């Protein structure tokens, strides 16, 4: 049974020239997004993020998961089409994660027709949803801070 929350997962890879992010094209609509899906009862948001990543792209447990601060509220009717959790639940939270990928080949489910690895600027301009853009900004900013700290540590 569906739990009353969603997850958003942004795959990323460190490349020699910088960080790239995977964005996916929906099969039922003509737009780009990150991995998104619903939680299941009994799962933590982290477990849901890993399961959704595996179901939609084949990415496995070997990927590093980063819990982001970015969280949005989504209207229930936009997510599941009706008041699945009763008429008193109007909005549900969407928790965001980054997923460090080591093998850049994704095995897409029927939910998406294409994916591409792109730099931050291309990803943020292609993504449809503001929640995806906000989570991407946070992830990109966090990763750049981590990279700068690593560079400073190596110089010491």
């Amino acid at each position: 049974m569906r739990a009353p929350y969603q997850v958003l997962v942004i795959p990323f890879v460190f490349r020699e020239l910088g960080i790239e992010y995977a964005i996916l094209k929906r099969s039922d609509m003509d737009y780009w997004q990150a991995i998104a899906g619903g939680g299941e009862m009994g799962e933590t948001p982290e477990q849901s993020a890993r399961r959704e990543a595996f179901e939609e792209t084949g990415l496995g447990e070997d990927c590093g998961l980063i819990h982001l601060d970015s969280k949005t509220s989504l209207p229930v009717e936009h997510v599941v089409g009706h008041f699945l959790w009763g008429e008193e639940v109007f909005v549900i939270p969407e928790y965001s994660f980054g997923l460090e990928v080591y093998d850049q080949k994704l095995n897409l489910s029927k939910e998406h027709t294409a994916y591409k690895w792109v730099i931050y600027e291309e990803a943020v301009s292609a993504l449809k949803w503001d929640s995806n853009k906000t989570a991407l900004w946070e992830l990109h900013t966090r990763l750049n801070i981590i990279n700068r700290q690593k560079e400073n540590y190596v110089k010491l």
Side-chain angles (χ1 to χ4, degrees), residues 34-137:
I35 298 167
E40 298 291 334
M41 290 297 191
E43 284 182 329
T44 66
E46 291 81 7
Q47 290 168 328
S48 299
R50 286 197 179 279
R51 179 183 47 74
E52 285 293 333
F54 182 75
E55 287 176 1
E56 294 187 21
T57 64
L59 295 173
E61 287 289 321
D62 60 332
C63 298
L65 191 67
I66 300 173
H67 191 279
L68 302 174
D69 293 336
S70 296
K71 183 173 140 183
T72 193
S73 295
L74 302 171
V76 169
E77 289 185 323
H78 292 180
V79 176
V80 291
H82 60 285
F83 287 87
L84 178 64
W85 301 282
E87 292 183 3
E88 67 282 351
V89 179
F90 290 88
V91 297
I92 60 172
E94 178 182 68
Y95 301 99
S96 300
F97 299 87
L99 189 71
E100 186 173 6
V101 175
Y102 307 106
D103 176 11
Q104 295 88 33
K105 178 155 176 27
L106 306 185
N107 297 311
L108 296 180
S109 70
K110 291 184 251 179
E111 195 169 328
H112 300 96
T113 59
Y115 73 91
K116 57 185 175 178
W117 289 98
V118 295
I119 63 173
Y120 171 78
E121 292 79 9
E122 185 176 345
V124 80
S125 68
L127 292 170
K128 175 179 174 114
W129 304 109
D130 287 340
S131 64
N132 284 223
K133 293 177 184 187
T134 300
L136 176 63
W137 174 86

